[in-house]
Amino acid sequence: MNYVLAPSILAADFKVLGQEMKKTEENGAKYIHFDVMDGMFVPSISFGMPVLASIHDATEQFMDAHLMVQEPIRYVEAFQKAGADSVTVHLEACEDVKATLDKIRECGMKVGLSINPETDVKELAPYLGEVDMILVMSVHPGFGGQKFIPESLDKIRTIRTMLSEKGLETDIQVDGGIYVDNVREVLDAGANVIVAGSAVFKGDAGENTAKFMEILKNYE
C-alpha cells in the first residue's frame, strides 16, 4: 500500500503558491489536495476550475480535487478539463451517488467518495467496489483549523475492515485536524492518504512536508 501526503492548498499563501507547492513536491508529497466549496453544501466558498487549471502546470503532483458542493455531477467534466487527476464527492451531496461516481470514471479520473463526521460508515457499503478512495472527514467540512474528531479513528478502522472483507485495498484518505503529533494514530487506524493544510503550509512547507514523510515512510 502506498502512503501519501496530500497538502491542502486551502491553507497556503496564494501569493507564493507555486513555490510552496514545489517545496512540498521536492520533499515527497505526491498529491496536492484541492478543496472546492460552494457556499451551499458547506458554508464557505473557496475556488474552482480556473484556479486548478492555472496551478496544474506548476507541479508534477497528482491533483486531488475534493468537491464539497451540492450535486457535484454538474462539474465533473469541467474539473477533468481543468486538470484534476481524481475527483472526490460527498455521499451526502449527491442525489444519485452511483451515477456521480460513474461519471467521474467515464471522464478517466480516479474516483473518491467522502462522508461527513455525522454519517454512518454503513452508508458507504453499496459503493465500496466503485471507488478508488474513501475520504473520512475528521472535522466538519467547510472551515480550516478545526480539531481532529477522535471518533474518526473508529470510522477508519471499520472502513478498513469492510474493505478487507471484500478483498479491497482501496485508499482511505483522512482530512481535518491532522498534524505531525497525531498522524500516527490515523495511520495505525488504517488510513494511507493524509490531507494536511495548516500543518504543512504554516511555517516552512518544505520542512513540514519532510517531517510528515519521515513518519509515512515508516509504514510502507
Side-chain angles (χ1 to χ4, degrees):
M1 184 170 290
N2 292 321
Y3 286 83
V4 177
L5 181 65
S8 171
I9 62 167
L10 193 63
D13 181 351
F14 271 64
K15 292 192 301 294
V16 288
L17 180 59
Q19 296 161 246
E20 294 288 270
M21 289 194 305
K22 209 68 188 167
K23 283 184 188 176
T24 69
E25 182 179 16
E26 288 166 354
N27 284 278
K30 297 189 181 86
Y31 286 18
I32 283 292
H33 191 75
F34 193 86
D35 285 308
V36 184
M37 306 182 202
D38 65 353
M40 293 174 64
F41 180 65
V42 294
S44 298
I45 295 172
S46 60
F47 34 63
M49 294 80 79
V51 175
L52 180 57
S54 72
I55 67 169
H56 181 257
D57 293 334
T59 175
E60 297 297 315
Q61 287 159 298
F62 183 91
M63 289 289 158
D64 170 34
H66 174 199
L67 307 193
M68 289 174 270
V69 305
Q70 204 65 38
E71 281 305 308
I73 195 168
R74 298 175 293 159
Y75 302 110
V76 169
E77 285 185 29
F79 272 96
Q80 186 269 328
K81 287 173 184 169
D85 295 299
S86 73
V87 165
T88 298
V89 297
H90 276 257
L91 184 149
E92 307 89 351
C94 302
E95 188 175 329
D96 187 332
V97 176
K98 188 172 187 312
T100 307
L101 301 179
D102 288 347
K103 182 74 171 175
I104 299 168
R105 185 78 69 200
E106 285 164 17
C107 286
M109 295 178 289
K110 296 271 189 179
V111 181
L113 184 61
S114 182
I115 53 170
N116 285 343
E118 60 273 15
T119 301
D120 195 306
V121 294
K122 291 175 186 173
E123 300 287 328
L124 292 166
Y127 312 109
L128 293 181
E130 310 282 336
V131 300
D132 301 297
M133 184 172 73
I134 292 165
L135 168 53
V136 176
M137 290 301 301
S138 47
V139 297
H140 295 283
F143 300 100
Q146 297 177 63
K147 287 188 177 176
F148 183 87
I149 298 170
E151 290 77 12
S152 306
L153 296 173
D154 289 333
K155 280 191 164 186
I156 298 163
R157 290 186 196 103
T158 302
I159 293 166
R160 183 55 73 196
T161 299
M162 289 165 67
L163 291 167
S164 296
E165 286 171 353
K166 289 185 173 289
L168 298 169
E169 289 194 358
T170 306
D171 289 334
I172 298 178
Q173 184 178 68
V174 186
D175 183 358
I178 301 177
Y179 292 83
V180 168
D181 60 3
N182 68 350
V183 67
R184 288 179 182 85
E185 296 175 71
V186 180
L187 296 165
D188 289 341
N192 67 301
V193 183
I194 302 298
V195 178
S198 302
V200 169
F201 289 111
K202 301 304 179 194
D204 187 301
E207 286 180 15
N208 293 334
T209 298
K211 287 174 187 172
F212 270 109
M213 291 310 302
E214 190 177 341
I215 297 168
L216 266 61
K217 281 171 185 170
N218 290 330
Y219 284 81
E220 291 181 344

